[in-house]
């Protein structure tokens, strides 16, 4: 029973930390044009609405976050869809990265997917196949609003697994140009052995019962992971970039985020690019080195020299 309590406590702390860390560390971004969670950024419209009096395409903005009048520029023709991790939401996971992308001229969109008993503040808990279907609908909405034939997808943690399933099994490969993931997970996680314990104690049904079907999906050997890994995860069409950190204690082993070699696949171990980066799994969301890599992978022709910066989130 003590081991059971430990396992459930780790899951709860993971949910709480994903919200607390990104919100606290990114508080300064409010001065860069963001607003508190639960509100709508200035100049944007809430998800699910169509702006009244939308500006003609020729005068529409060419950057913004959930601004449904945004029209991609020639320099960045694909809008960027951000996909958050388990226990996070579309806002707190990208308080740093979304404004960065917006400032670099991208139309950026995000939604909270996988909502269950805990509502919209804590997403990514529903079975991942269901979340992939949600992502499919959202991508189509972004394409229709912007007039773009394809999108780019940037995801964190579960936000890499769900898009991978979408591109492989739900026709998303034809609608995605570039995919960039960090804290990636394609093979499940042992949570440093605790997930293996959950399987041994037959807790899968309990996790699903409390509204975390995605937790069950992430257990090694799950039916979801078997389907995702039946053949290469990366399929022809999109380019895939997967960024992982050796200090990840959530996705264990961290190599679960590495894709099989292919012409359209690039794997990046963060410490191979920057030995001064000690970010853990959650810290990747606010890591300036990761932001640089994301920008360069989305626009290889316009990429800038990578500058390694000392960064740590004390193992988180």
């Amino acid at each position: 029973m003590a081991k059971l309590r430990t396992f459930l406590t780790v899951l709860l702390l993971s949910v709480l930390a994903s919200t607390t860390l990104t919100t606290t560390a990114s508080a300064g971004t409010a001065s860069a044009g963001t607003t508190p969670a639960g509100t709508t950024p200035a100049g944007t419209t809430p998800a699910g609405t169509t702006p009244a009096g939308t500006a003609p395409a020729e005068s529409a903005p060419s950057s913004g976050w959930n601004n449904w009048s945004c029209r991609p520029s020639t320099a960045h023709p694909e809008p960027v869809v951000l996909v958050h991790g388990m226990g996070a939401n579309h806002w707190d996971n990208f308080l740093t990265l979304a404004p960065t992308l917006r400032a670099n001229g991208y139309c950026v969109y995000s939604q909270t997917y996988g909502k269950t008993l805990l509502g919209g503040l804590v997403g990514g808990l529903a079975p991942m196949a269901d979340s992939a279907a949600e992502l499919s609908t959202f991508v189509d909405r972004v394409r229709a609003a912007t007039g773009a034939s394809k999108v780019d997808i940037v995801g964190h943690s579960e936000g890499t697994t769900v898009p991978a399933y979408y591109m492989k099994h739900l026709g998303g490969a034809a609608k995605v140009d570039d995919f960039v993931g960090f804290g990636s997970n394609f093979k499940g996680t042992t949570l440093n052995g605790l997930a293996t314990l959950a399987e041994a104690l037959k807790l899968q049904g309990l996790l699903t019962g409390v509204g975390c079907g995605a937790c069950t999906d992430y257990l090694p050997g799950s039916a979801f992971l078997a389907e995702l890994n039946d053949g290469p995860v990366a399929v022809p069409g999109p380019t895939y970039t997967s960024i992982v950190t050796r200090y990840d204690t959530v996705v264990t082993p961290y190599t679960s985020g590495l894709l099989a070699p292919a012409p359209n696949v690039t794997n990046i171990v963060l410490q191979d690019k920057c030995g001064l980066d000690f970010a853990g799994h959650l810290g990747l969301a606010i890591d300036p080195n990761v932001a640089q890599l994301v920008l360069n992978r989305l626009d290889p022709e316009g990429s800038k020299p990578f500058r390694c910066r000392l960064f740590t989130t004390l193992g988180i």
Side-chain angles (χ1 to χ4, degrees):
M1 184 57 67
K3 290 184 177 180
L4 169 58
R5 287 196 298 269
T6 300
F7 176 73
L8 295 177
T9 299
V10 168
L11 288 177
L12 177 60
L13 290 176
S14 178
V15 167
L16 294 176
S18 66
T19 300
T20 303
L21 175 64
T22 51
T23 301
T24 301
S26 304
T29 59
S31 62
T34 63
T35 53
T39 63
T40 304
T44 71
T45 57
T49 64
T50 301
T54 298
E58 60 270 17
S59 61
S62 60
S63 67
W65 184 8
N66 279 353
N67 185 337
W68 294 93
S69 66
C70 191
R71 296 295 178 269
S73 66
T74 302
H76 303 304
E78 286 82 33
V80 178
V81 173
L82 301 175
V83 189
H84 63 77
M86 181 186 292
N89 60 58
H90 85 100
W91 184 262
D92 67 12
N93 207 146
F94 298 111
L95 274 172
T96 297
L97 186 57
T100 298
L101 290 167
R102 179 182 63 187
N104 280 270
Y106 287 92
C107 296
V108 183
Y109 298 90
S110 60
Q111 70 164 355
T112 301
Y113 68 89
K115 293 178 282 188
T116 60
L117 301 178
L118 299 179
L121 290 179
V122 182
L125 301 184
M128 283 191 272
D130 295 345
S131 293
E134 283 189 62
L135 176 60
S136 177
T137 300
F138 189 69
V139 166
D140 286 345
R141 181 185 173 208
V142 170
R143 292 170 60 238
T146 60
S149 60
K150 293 185 177 183
V151 302
D152 292 335
I153 292 180
V154 176
H156 179 205
S157 191
E158 186 186 351
T160 66
T161 321
V162 167
Y165 187 93
Y166 160 63
M167 290 184 283
K168 183 171 181 176
H169 292 295
L170 300 182
K175 303 174 183 179
V176 177
D177 186 38
D178 297 310
F179 165 75
V180 183
F182 51 93
S184 305
N185 188 354
F186 306 113
K187 301 180 182 70
T189 175
T190 67
L191 273 175
N192 275 340
L194 290 175
T196 304
L197 172 64
E199 183 178 9
L201 295 178
K202 309 299 182 186
L203 297 181
Q204 296 95 325
L206 174 61
L207 295 174
T208 302
V210 298
C212 192
C215 296
T216 301
D217 287 341
Y218 263 147
L219 294 176
S222 72
F224 174 84
L225 290 176
E227 184 179 8
L228 180 61
N229 288 278
D230 184 12
V233 173
V235 295
T239 66
Y240 290 74
T241 300
S242 183
I243 303 168
V244 299
T245 171
R246 289 194 176 97
Y247 300 104
D248 201 321
T249 57
V250 175
V251 177
T252 54
Y254 75 89
T255 51
S256 289
L258 299 179
L259 293 161
N264 60 333
V265 167
T266 300
N267 290 308
I268 299 175
V269 177
L270 183 57
Q271 287 70 36
D272 289 345
K273 297 288 291 186
C274 182
L276 298 176
D277 197 311
F278 303 94
H281 184 79
L282 300 178
L284 295 172
I286 57 173
D287 189 333
N289 296 311
V290 171
Q292 286 186 77
L293 293 171
V294 169
L295 288 169
N296 284 348
R297 295 306 299 172
L298 290 178
D299 183 15
E301 294 183 1
S303 64
K304 299 177 181 179
F306 179 80
R307 176 187 172 194
C308 173
R309 301 178 183 181
L310 174 65
F311 182 81
T312 181
T313 51
L314 302 178
I316 299 176

